[in-house]
Amino acid sequence: MKDKQPKSNTEVLEQGGLSRRNFLGASAVTGVALVGATALGSSLMTRESWAAAVKDAQQKIHVAPGELDEYYGFWSGGHQGEVRVIGVPSMRELMRIPVFNVDSATGWGITNESRHIMGESAKFLNGDCHHPHISMTDGKYDGKYLFINDKANSRVARIRLDIMKCDKMLTVPNVQAIHGLRLQKVPHTKYVFANAEFVIPHPNDGSSFDLQAENAYTMFNVIDAETMEMAFQVIVSGNLDNTDADYTGRFAAATCYNSEKAYDLGGMMRNERDWVVVFDIPAIEKAIKAGKFSTIGDSKVPVVDGREGSELTRYIPVPKNPHGCNTSSDGKYFIANGKLSPTVTMIEIAKLPDLFAGKITDPRGVVAAEVEVGLGPLHTTFDGRGNAYTTLFIDSQVVKWNMADAVRAYNGEKVNYIKQKLDVQYQPGHIHASLTETSEADGKWLVALCKFSKDRFLQVGPLHPENDQLIDISGEEMKLVHDGPTYAEPHDCILARRDQIKTKKIWDRNDPFFAPTVEMAKKDGINLTADNKVIRDGKKVRVYMTSMAPAYGITEFTVKQGDEVTVVITNIDEIEDVTHGFVMTNHGVGMEISPQQTSSVTFVADKPGLHWYYCSWFCHALHMEMVGRMLVEPA
């Protein structure tokens, strides 16, 4: 069916006598971007109406000095390999949490503590993180953990939200390119569900490169959220893209855009329908408990075969090259977004038990609607009021549509389920509404993460910023209220209420984050909060010192050229914002030591002579005087 399209922002502005560029120039002064597209059937806005809308938008997103945002936003850092913490609605960046990257400010990827967490994968200097998701209890955010994937190096990491630091990292075995990631919602986040995108041969030892062979496949990966160890893997037909879980704890679903198992563009677009594969999690657990699994190579991870025809999975055909997989906040539907079809497919979760039991024999029997929304649907989010919002990559729009009306229209009723289309700039990918992944979706704010931003910001050279746009969805009409340039490919985000995130202000001395360093000090007979001492062990030297603004406990130590030096610093300040740093000049060494934290770093003193070290975090009026010297005697 064809729906009447509302006018775009540009058409409305030009017909009203105000050019898009002139309006943007004027609105830049107020700090807000183009506000709203017309709702269906609304009249053209006058200059006065636009001015009033701008003022209203500015008031909604303004968070005055000293006031706090209503939501924590966690943004994937994309190719930076980090997570960014952003306040919503102000869109102020609060913090960056390094995960898969090296960060010279905190020393992540440099310190012994961070390299212990990263394990063998610390050798990788890049990351490509896509999907941040917060742990849940009974379908609501519990604020305990945030999980994030690294597509580039097939990793999944966990961030403790009480300290906003990564505390666990896992390289997923037997697969390549962890992409889609979601969490079990109820009764709590027992599992992290992670899709490996690319089909590879098994064993992948160069003996075969035939992707059509029986031994060429990818897998659905399930990780224990508490231990951050593999629970099991499921072999699938085709490839895997995005995933989500239901509100019963039984089902997870994933999209497949390469059912052909092709490696070329034409081959991957050959089939008019690909599929959504649904996993019966309790049935898989039962099969593993009964010993119905295998392993691959040296890996001990249980592997079950869930390819088409398995009792553990069901394959639901959907058009075409589907991408996003989103569970509606009312728990009724898995939504598969068509990408190369102008439709999204609504899969009725309540019918899935009958599909697995054989009472429904045609997998398409669980499709509640195939909803025509526009060109290039990628992802869908929800407001908790029965409405869904889908990004249209090709149309550069967000479309608001009503789910109940869409089902009625699919069943033959004459009803217009499209409520509004809003121009966004430009080509949006992920979309996320406040609390949308939980049963508490509140329908206040929506973020559209746009892949392009041409002409929205000052020119910065051939590499353009991307554009996060904040949209007010609290009323009947969507209103675009903020443009935010961002770097580089911040793939997805998630919003939680500020009361759901409980952070520590000062480190607990018993925190497991630096437990390995505490254990090392114990073996050396060191009291980390009191002792300042140098331990010599052949060619290895361990320097233990305290820091208290504005001085280190040791201001000079001597080593020999070629010694492996480990510097361990404990910040004994108790004031919450007195963070210290440690940088050894010309050695590529730097780290953060926050109040009551212990941090350590190891390097080789390979250059004879005098080398200064200094505090890199401004901690005191005499911060510049917080220094020391390492004296390196020639070998």
Side-chain angles (χ1 to χ4, degrees), residues 129-161:
C129 54
H130 283 215
H131 301 116
H133 294 286
I134 299 171
S135 57
M136 301 185 196
T137 299
D138 295 329
K140 302 175 180 64
Y141 297 138
D142 59 25
K144 189 174 183 180
Y145 299 125
L146 182 137
F147 299 86
I148 186 81
N149 69 301
D150 171 22
K151 180 175 176 177
N153 299 299
S154 306
R155 293 178 289 185
V156 173
R158 185 179 78 185
I159 293 168
R160 275 177 49 193
L161 291 177

Side-chain angles (χ1 to χ4, degrees), residues 10-33:
T10 304
E11 291 171 321
V12 171
L13 285 167
E14 290 176 350
Q15 292 175 31
L18 184 63
S19 77
R20 178 174 173 277
R21 172 51 58 203
N22 289 341
F23 178 80
L24 290 175
S27 68
V29 176
T30 69
V32 296

